[in-house]
Amino acid sequence: ESSRCLIVSLQKYRSLLGVARVSNNDRTWFPRWVQRYQSFLQKTTLDDLDVDLEQIKEFSRSLRDNGTPAWQRLQAVRAIENYQKVVHRLGIEGVQQVKCRLHAVAKSGEDSAASAGMGSAAENRDARLSVGDALIDDERVLAECEPDEELRAVRRALRVQRYALATEEAYIGWLKRFRSSTGNESLSSSGEAAIKEFITDLAVNGNVAVSTQRQAMSALLFYYQKVLGRELEFLDVQVSQKKRRLPVVLSQSEIGRLAEQFHGRSRLLFGLMYGAGLRHKEARRLRVKDVCFDQRVITVRDGKGEKDRLTMLPDSLAEGLRRQVEHCRRVHGSDQETGLGSVYLPYALARKYPNAGSEFCWQYLFPSRQLSRDPRSGSLRRHYVSESVFCKVFKKAVKAAAIDKPATPHALRHSFATHMLEGGADIRTVQELLGHEDVSTTMIYTHVMNRAGVAAKSPLDQFVAES
């Protein structure tokens, strides 16, 4: 009977992991570590599983005594912490120090008694500072960037679930705006009525787009459901009626005039967005390894929706990109001479491959000219070029080219898709190059195409020709 209960409980945990933001590897191993922790505590079912910091330390010690390496003990602690958050929606106070110490031991290769998380407070603090690069929820840096305790909890939860930094900033902005509108000092003191009023006001008085209203709703739902663990009642809000507009598309003549205004690095970014259909951020965050000159393809990693895709490498950009790679090599060599040269690696790659961040292939193709401090880890490193750099150049170029359209850098991607379709490209091919999940998203460009091939003529032109 107890074995059957355990299987049912594990199935429930696995089902919850299926919708959680964890890697496939964690979905495989987390239930196994939880079951092993349950055996260690000699519990018959998971329903009465006690998750206590001292017991976690004892469990880690037992694993160490059995010869389990530090990186696996870290995975076990993460699994128990995840179980507590997913099933019971509770945190474990002090578990962060255990994880930091285990990570330090795994990274250094040492395996001492302190690896079970029982070192002194000073040792644990030093270990945490030393591995800040790999921790997505470094409390020291988090406290510095977010003094507000409520919002700090939101940032921590967003980072644990690997949300993008832009999403994090957007959610924090909406929560601040919501708290200001309610006049309450604490977000948790507001309920469904205040949320409904705020979201509806965005549509009625704010006249925001549907996507903007949904983002605000997502931010509030994340806080109340994921951070506070509160189930909200049905929210009957008024949906924004602002319709989706046709994109701004530049003609080929306008593209030609615009291209004359770009030089050097800006010319390459312009070429990647118009010539390969990359988004502005996708072009800026390309790494050296993502460009294959032999096959003439560009790999876009972790694009919108965390999707990867392949797109074309225009022949006219090949030589310029080769020179850019050599420029990156010189910048990387200079950084290494000063003891730097390590770039940000996504997800757990920094922990899995400790030296990969210093390898040249991982360097950004368009590195910033200045070093900056990572807002999450606090590490000083060279990031990719800022968004404002190309935006400023693009705005001046549009003015200099006498283009009277509200064009932004994203208009280059719209123009790429439209001109590809006008050139006879199959819409499915364009869909793959753009990375659209649904072809209906790509279909919008058929509405802004120049229908030169359509056998139809304006009646005004006919009238003028006859007269």
Side-chain angles (χ1 to χ4, degrees):
E1 179 67 23
S2 62
S3 177
R4 187 186 67 83
C5 293
L6 178 60
I7 294 174
V8 172
S9 298
L10 283 176
Q11 288 178 345
K12 176 184 176 182
Y13 178 48
R14 286 193 177 97
S15 66
L16 292 174
L17 278 179
V19 296
R21 287 176 174 264
V22 296
S23 65
N24 292 331
N25 185 63
D26 288 344
R27 289 175 186 170
T28 301
W29 287 100
F30 276 12
R32 300 181 185 181
W33 283 118
V34 171
Q35 185 175 7
R36 190 164 175 179
Y37 180 65
Q38 178 264 345
S39 299
F40 170 78
L41 296 179
Q42 297 181 350
K43 298 290 185 179
T44 57
T45 68
L46 285 180
D47 295 330
D48 59 350
L49 186 66
D50 298 325
V51 181
D52 180 77
L53 181 62
E54 292 303 321
Q55 291 174 337
I56 291 176
K57 291 178 180 179
E58 290 292 337
F59 179 56
S60 181
R61 288 194 194 95
S62 69
L63 293 177
R64 182 202 64 207
D65 295 340
N66 291 332
T68 305
W71 69 268
Q72 287 187 344
R73 301 202 300 272
L74 175 61
Q75 186 183 59
V77 174
R78 290 177 52 240
I80 299 169
E81 181 189 28
N82 178 266
Y83 171 84
Q84 184 75 342
K85 289 181 178 179
V86 171
V87 177
H88 299 296
R89 297 184 178 180
L90 296 173
I92 307 174
E93 186 176 357
V95 74
Q96 183 60 37
Q97 291 185 351
V98 178
K99 292 195 299 180
C100 290
R101 185 57 183 165
L102 286 171
H103 186 279
V105 174
K107 188 174 183 180
S108 63
E110 301 174 359
D111 219 348
S112 61
S115 64
M118 290 301 296
S120 65
E123 289 174 337
N124 287 329
R125 182 174 62 252
D126 293 341
R128 186 153 106 194
L129 297 180
S130 66
V131 297
D133 271 1
L135 297 175
I136 59 174
D137 51 351
D138 188 324
E139 293 293 334
R140 176 183 61 86
V141 180
L142 190 59
E144 292 178 356
C145 72
E146 185 54 74
D148 189 291
E149 187 173 351
E150 274 190 323
L151 298 181
R152 192 187 312 149
V154 180
R155 289 186 185 272
R156 185 185 300 111
L158 287 167
R159 294 178 186 187
V160 166
Q161 299 195 30
R162 303 190 184 282
Y163 278 75
L165 183 60
T167 305
E168 177 183 322
E169 296 299 333
Y171 277 23
I172 293 297
W174 281 116
L175 290 174
K176 288 181 178 179
R177 187 169 169 179
F178 173 67
R179 185 167 59 182
S180 176
S181 68
T182 59
N184 296 328
E185 295 183 359
S186 175
L187 285 167
S188 59
S189 61
S190 300
E192 285 83 348
I195 297 175
K196 176 182 176 180
E197 182 181 355
F198 177 73
I199 298 298
T200 302
D201 183 72
L202 289 176
V204 177
N205 299 321
N207 194 29
V208 299
V210 177
S211 58
T212 304
Q213 189 186 33
R214 286 177 180 171
Q215 186 186 65
M217 174 70 83
S218 298
L220 294 173
L221 291 179
F222 182 88
Y223 174 72
Y224 284 98
Q225 295 181 347
K226 302 295 184 180
V227 180
L228 296 182
R230 183 196 301 178
E231 288 296 333
L232 297 176
E233 298 178 2
F234 176 73
L235 298 174
D236 185 18
V237 300
Q238 182 170 336
V239 180
S240 177
Q241 300 298 317
K242 192 173 182 180
K243 303 300 182 181
R244 185 178 181 182
R245 303 301 179 187
L246 292 176
V248 175
V249 175
L250 304 176
S251 67
Q252 293 187 355
S253 173
E254 291 170 332
I255 289 291
R257 301 202 308 270
L258 195 61
E260 298 174 355
Q261 310 299 322
F262 295 101
H263 306 281
R265 179 180 61 186
S266 298
R267 179 61 179 255
L268 291 176
L269 290 170
F270 166 84
L272 288 170
M273 283 182 274
Y274 175 68
L278 270 63
R279 298 178 177 89
H280 186 193
K281 186 175 183 178
E282 292 172 346
R284 290 184 292 114
R285 66 189 294 187
L286 280 177
R287 300 180 190 257
V288 173
K289 66 179 183 62
D290 297 332
V291 181
C292 182
F293 293 99
D294 293 335
Q295 295 179 328
R296 284 293 193 269
V297 294
I298 296 174
T299 304
V300 179
R301 302 284 184 184
D302 197 18
K304 188 175 182 180
E306 297 184 341
K307 293 179 292 186
D308 296 352
R309 73 177 190 277
L310 294 177
T311 187
M312 62 182 68
L313 169 60
D315 293 338
S316 56
L317 289 182
E319 188 59 35
L321 289 176
R322 283 195 175 95
R323 291 194 297 268
Q324 183 65 23
V325 169
E326 293 306 314
H327 169 71
C328 292
R329 196 184 303 276
R330 292 191 296 270
V331 172
H332 180 54
S334 177
D335 287 344
Q336 286 185 316
E337 292 176 359
T338 60
L340 299 172
S342 179
V343 296
Y344 164 78
L345 295 182
Y347 304 112
L349 288 178
R351 184 172 67 248
K352 188 175 183 180
Y353 307 108
N355 300 320
S358 300
E359 296 178 3
F360 176 65
C361 64
W362 283 97
Q363 304 302 304
Y364 290 113
L365 187 60
F366 298 98
S368 173
R369 292 172 181 171
Q370 296 178 340
L371 297 173
S372 59
R373 195 164 296 278
D374 193 305
R376 290 188 169 179
S377 70
S379 301
L380 186 65
R381 55 164 64 107
R382 193 179 297 277
H383 210 51
Y384 51 78
V385 63
S386 172
E387 178 182 10
S388 60
V389 173
F390 183 79
C391 287
K392 292 178 181 178
V393 176
F394 185 85
K395 185 175 181 179
K396 293 180 180 178
V398 170
K399 186 177 181 180
I403 298 176
D404 299 323
K405 291 180 180 179
T408 63
H410 201 67
L412 297 176
R413 176 176 160 91
H414 294 322
S415 302
F416 163 81
T418 304
H419 296 168
M420 284 283 293
L421 292 172
E422 288 178 351
D426 181 76
I427 193 168
R428 291 289 182 179
T429 302
V430 177
Q431 177 191 357
E432 291 295 325
L433 293 175
L434 294 176
H436 289 162
E437 187 172 353
D438 194 330
V439 71
S440 62
T441 308
T442 317
M443 287 289 292
I444 193 172
Y445 297 110
T446 62
H447 299 292
V448 292
M449 289 171 53
N450 179 14
R451 307 277 185 172
V454 177
K457 194 172 184 180
S458 169
L460 177 62
D461 293 336
Q462 295 179 355
F463 172 77
V464 172
E466 293 174 358
S467 61

